Amino acid sequence: MAEAGNSGGGARKRKMADKKDSGGVRKSAPDSIWPAVKHKKNLLINRLKDSDLFTVPEFLSAAESNAFIRVAESIGFVHQGSLGPTKGEAYRDNDRISVNDPVLASTLWDSGLSKLFSDIKIRGELAVGLNPNIRFYRYKAGQRFGRHIYESVDIGEGKRTYYTLLIYLSGSSKAKANKSELDSQKDASIEPLVGGETVFYGWRNNVVAEVAPAEGMALLHIHGDKCMLHEARNVSKGIKYVFRSDVIFA
């Protein structure tokens, strides 16, 4: 995964935040461990900056989001940090898992994402799927990811990533848990999530968009040359879980 961040002084530098996966990494995972994902119909798109930045509310259901969290926790997260702004890297403090799973990537793409990108072209290329390098992030109270950018990644065979996909697995939700669910879950993961917004900045550090985590909501933004500087703000309460991949074009 290519990540970069400014050094905190407003200059927009493109440097690798981590040159290789380090911690929480598994080469592959059997598709049977993942929850079933239903096909999505009538998805809504909220455009925050044309086609460069948009959200898709309720892309995953509450049940699907919670199921992904349970599987991720069963695999086990590993802490991920960084060298920090003084070394040209974004400040990073979260927990992480990485799995290489083409089946899971294909399942998510075919469930409805492909339709969202049917009219989007990058340099004449079309979106063809998700990066099988799937990551799960966990942010506990006090953790955050400083201002950074994502580079476009050449994954071979004429394919390159141009969009970041984030799916919030926790956050505000319209669904109400029933009493048995509430009685059986007594940990911080069901505390109301406070903080953890994803904030995007323009060239003069003006706020372009501030996205609060909402359970099951997908956030997609262009990366590479047009990537906006952005950050994951500090989590004040609860736990923020995120599913992460990239949209591949060819």
Side-chain angles (χ1 to χ4, degrees), residues 74-111:
S74 72
I75 294 174
F77 286 86
V78 173
H79 180 260
Q80 179 118 26
S82 68
L83 296 177
T86 60
K87 300 295 184 180
E89 295 182 357
Y91 175 87
R92 182 172 191 168
D93 178 19
N94 66 357
D95 304 312
R96 180 174 177 268
I97 294 169
S98 177
V99 296
N100 184 46
D101 198 317
V103 174
L104 178 58
S106 179
T107 297
L108 266 293
W109 181 252
D110 293 339
S111 70

Side-chain angles (χ1 to χ4, degrees), residues 16-235:
M16 301 292 285
D18 49 277
K19 295 183 179 180
K20 61 181 180 179
D21 290 332
S22 56
V25 177
R26 291 194 173 196
K27 292 183 178 180
S28 62
D31 60 285
S32 59
I33 72 171
W34 305 114
V37 177
K38 295 181 179 179
H39 184 74
K40 313 301 178 183
K41 298 180 180 179
N42 304 317
L43 291 173
L44 300 177
I45 298 178
N46 293 329
R47 298 193 184 278
L48 304 178
K49 188 183 179 186
D50 302 320
S51 61
D52 290 351
L53 173 61
F54 58 95
T55 61
V56 184
E58 300 178 357
F59 177 74
L60 292 182
S61 68
E64 290 167 342
S65 298
N66 291 330
F68 272 113
I69 290 174
R70 288 194 296 270
V71 174
E73 286 287 2
S74 72
I75 294 174
F77 286 86
V78 173
H79 180 260
Q80 179 118 26
S82 68
L83 296 177
T86 60
K87 300 295 184 180
E89 295 182 357
Y91 175 87
R92 182 172 191 168
D93 178 19
N94 66 357
D95 304 312
R96 180 174 177 268
I97 294 169
S98 177
V99 296
N100 184 46
D101 198 317
V103 174
L104 178 58
S106 179
T107 297
L108 266 293
W109 181 252
D110 293 339
S111 70
L113 286 173
S114 59
K115 292 183 179 180
L116 302 180
F117 279 85
S118 60
D119 297 326
I120 297 178
K121 289 186 178 181
I122 303 291
R123 300 177 182 176
E125 298 181 342
L126 296 172
V128 296
L130 288 182
N131 188 345
N133 178 19
I134 306 294
R135 285 133 286 171
F136 291 88
Y137 299 147
R138 181 181 66 188
Y139 294 83
K140 295 183 177 180
Q143 293 186 312
R144 65 183 179 88
F145 193 173
R147 297 185 185 190
H148 60 284
I149 57 173
Y150 286 120
E151 301 284 3
S152 173
V153 177
D154 184 351
I155 61 174
E157 299 181 347
K159 298 178 181 180
R160 177 174 286 274
T161 69
Y162 282 115
Y163 272 80
T164 296
L165 165 67
L166 302 177
I167 305 176
Y168 300 106
L169 303 177
S170 60
S172 62
S173 174
K174 294 180 180 179
K176 294 183 179 179
N178 60 42
K179 187 176 185 301
S180 63
E181 289 174 329
L182 292 175
D183 290 342
S184 63
Q185 299 178 22
K186 297 297 183 181
D187 55 47
S189 65
I190 63 167
E191 278 191 321
L193 177 61
V194 179
E197 299 88 355
T198 305
V199 185
F200 292 85
Y201 298 91
W203 287 101
R204 295 183 178 180
N205 285 328
N206 60 303
V207 175
V208 174
E210 181 176 319
V211 183
E215 185 181 58
M217 180 176 72
L219 168 65
L220 294 120
H221 68 88
I222 197 166
H223 62 223
D225 293 341
K226 295 179 66 179
C227 186
M228 287 174 283
L229 194 67
H230 58 287
E231 67 176 327
R233 282 184 176 163
N234 180 70
V235 170

